[in-house]
């Protein structure tokens, strides 16, 4: 199984701390050595990096651990291949344009029979079942709307499509359209929200400890989504299988705190 990392925040935030823990799992503290990738949203723009080499030994990953790219939404993935060769085109996250937005998608698990789902104009570049599922989802969304719908309407459609894919096997997924971070739990996914009063955190996979009270303002809200907890001294919350959360500005849709944060 691969591992996922996502972030949603109400201010541009540096994810180097969490990414350092995930990267070590890519061939050093974990077996996920078949490539990795990460995407950072900056407004509507999306900056992505991919490498078929293990993230624990990747020079690109080492660069990103030193370069503080700040973003409100991040999706990252370390791969343990079970379907599709170890090649650059099979590394997640995958990205496509729809309605003038960059959609980004990462998945772990196996989806039996997913390649029998009929595709529209979106086609895979690689050979993974994950990319096929992503292209199918985008095709279904495009069938429903000619232009970008309101976030809450898109939330409902994403939940319906996730439920259909959930029936095909293990579908742990992160998806974003630059406005929202969607997280679907197929088998294992957990979340952590950091907000005032901030404390300290220590990575499980690396000797790195951060006092977030020194790195944030009292108004900051940052939610991290991961396959497994990345820190040893914070309280992570497991998602239930089949659960979908839609995070905007660090909080799930419907949270009263998020409603007061503006656009």
């Amino acid at each position: 199984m691969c591992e996922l990392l996502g972030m949603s925040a109400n201010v541009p935030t540096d994810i180097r701390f969490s990414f350092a823990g995930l990267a070590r799992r890519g061939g050093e503290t974990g077996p996920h050595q078949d490539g990795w990738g990460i995407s950072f949203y900056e407004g509507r723009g999306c900056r992505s990096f991919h490498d078929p080499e293990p993230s624990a030994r990747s020079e690109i990953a080492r660069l990103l651990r030193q370069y503080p790219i700040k973003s409100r939404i991040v999706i990252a993935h370390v791969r343990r291949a079970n379907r599709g060769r170890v090649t650059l085109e099979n590394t997640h996250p995958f990205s496509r344009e729809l309605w003038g937005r960059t959609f980004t998608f990462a998945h772990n698990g196996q989806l039996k029979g997913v390649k029998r789902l009929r595709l529209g104009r979106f086609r895979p570049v690689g050979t993974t079942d994950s990319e096929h599922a992503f292209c199918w989802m985008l095709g279904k969304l495009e069938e429903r709307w000619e232009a970008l719908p309101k976030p809450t309407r898109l939330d409902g459609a994403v939940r319906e499509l996730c439920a259909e894919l959930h029936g095909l096997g293990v579908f742990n997924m992160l998806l974003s359209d630059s406005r929202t971070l969607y997280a679907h739990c197929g088998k294992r996914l957990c979340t952590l929200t950091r907000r005032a009063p901030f404390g300290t955190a220590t990575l499980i996979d690396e000797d790195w400890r951060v006092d977030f009270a020194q790195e944030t303002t009292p108004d900051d809200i940052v939610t991290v989504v991961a396959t497994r907890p990345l820190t040893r001294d914070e309280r992570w919350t497991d998602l239930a299988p089949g659960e979908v959360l839609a995070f905007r500005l660090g909080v799930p849709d419907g949270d009263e705190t998020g409603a007061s944060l503006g656009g």
Side-chain angles (χ1 to χ4, degrees):
M1 293 279 283
C2 309
E3 291 214 15
L4 300 170
L5 169 64
M7 184 190 75
S8 172
N10 67 336
V11 294
T13 300
D14 174 2
I15 200 175
R16 286 182 300 165
F17 178 70
S18 296
F19 178 68
L22 180 75
R24 288 287 298 276
R25 295 177 181 178
E28 195 163 299
T29 63
H32 314 88
Q33 60 183 358
D34 300 321
W36 65 276
I38 186 168
S39 295
F40 303 84
Y41 279 94
E42 299 175 32
R44 290 193 182 187
C46 185
R47 187 187 317 208
S48 297
F49 302 85
H50 297 83
D51 193 348
E53 297 297 317
S55 56
R57 300 189 291 275
S58 167
E59 291 297 329
I60 301 173
R62 185 173 292 111
L63 168 67
L64 294 177
R65 290 176 56 177
Q66 299 171 356
Y67 183 35
I69 299 174
K70 293 192 174 182
S71 175
R72 284 191 174 93
I73 297 177
V74 177
I75 294 177
H77 180 278
V78 291
R79 183 176 184 230
R80 186 179 186 185
N82 50 54
R83 294 188 182 178
R85 295 182 300 115
V86 180
T87 59
L88 182 62
E89 65 266 25
N90 285 334
T91 60
H92 308 221
F94 304 109
S95 296
R96 297 289 192 282
E97 179 276 329
L98 174 61
W99 305 314
R101 298 270 177 161
T102 300
F103 279 71
T104 302
F105 169 99
H107 160 247
N108 75 36
Q110 296 184 11
L111 300 173
K112 186 176 181 180
V114 70
K115 292 188 177 181
R116 290 196 290 268
L117 294 177
R118 187 173 180 180
L119 300 179
R121 72 177 178 92
F122 297 98
R123 297 298 172 122
V125 175
T127 57
T128 64
D129 55 351
S130 303
E131 191 180 12
H132 191 101
F134 177 42
C135 291
W136 175 80
M137 290 181 73
L138 292 185
K140 288 296 183 180
L141 294 175
E142 188 174 46
E143 287 178 6
R144 188 174 299 201
W145 294 291
E146 294 183 355
L148 182 72
K150 292 182 179 180
T152 52
R153 297 187 70 192
L154 186 59
D155 294 352
V158 169
R159 287 188 169 95
E160 291 174 11
L161 296 174
C162 285
E164 190 165 344
L165 291 170
H166 182 68
L168 299 180
V170 178
F171 187 62
N172 300 301
M173 179 218 70
L174 297 176
L175 171 74
S176 182
D177 65 344
S178 82
R179 303 177 302 181
T180 307
L181 174 68
Y182 296 99
H184 175 270
C185 177
K187 185 176 181 181
R188 188 173 188 180
L189 210 58
C190 58
T191 67
L192 166 72
T193 299
R194 298 186 180 114
R195 63 204 314 169
F198 292 95
T200 60
T202 309
L203 289 175
I204 293 172
D205 298 88
E206 181 160 321
D207 185 18
W208 190 353
R209 184 182 177 93
V210 170
D211 181 358
F212 286 105
Q214 303 299 317
E215 305 289 337
T216 57
T217 73
D219 296 326
D220 291 1
I221 302 175
V222 180
T223 292
V224 179
V225 184
T227 301
R228 296 182 292 128
L230 293 165
T231 55
R232 66 177 75 256
D233 42 13
E234 296 179 289
R235 181 174 295 179
W236 293 76
T237 301
D238 290 329
L239 274 66
E243 185 175 4
V244 181
L245 294 180
F247 295 96
R248 286 186 276 276
L249 301 176
V251 294
D253 180 48
D255 189 299
E256 293 181 1
T257 304
S260 67
L261 294 174

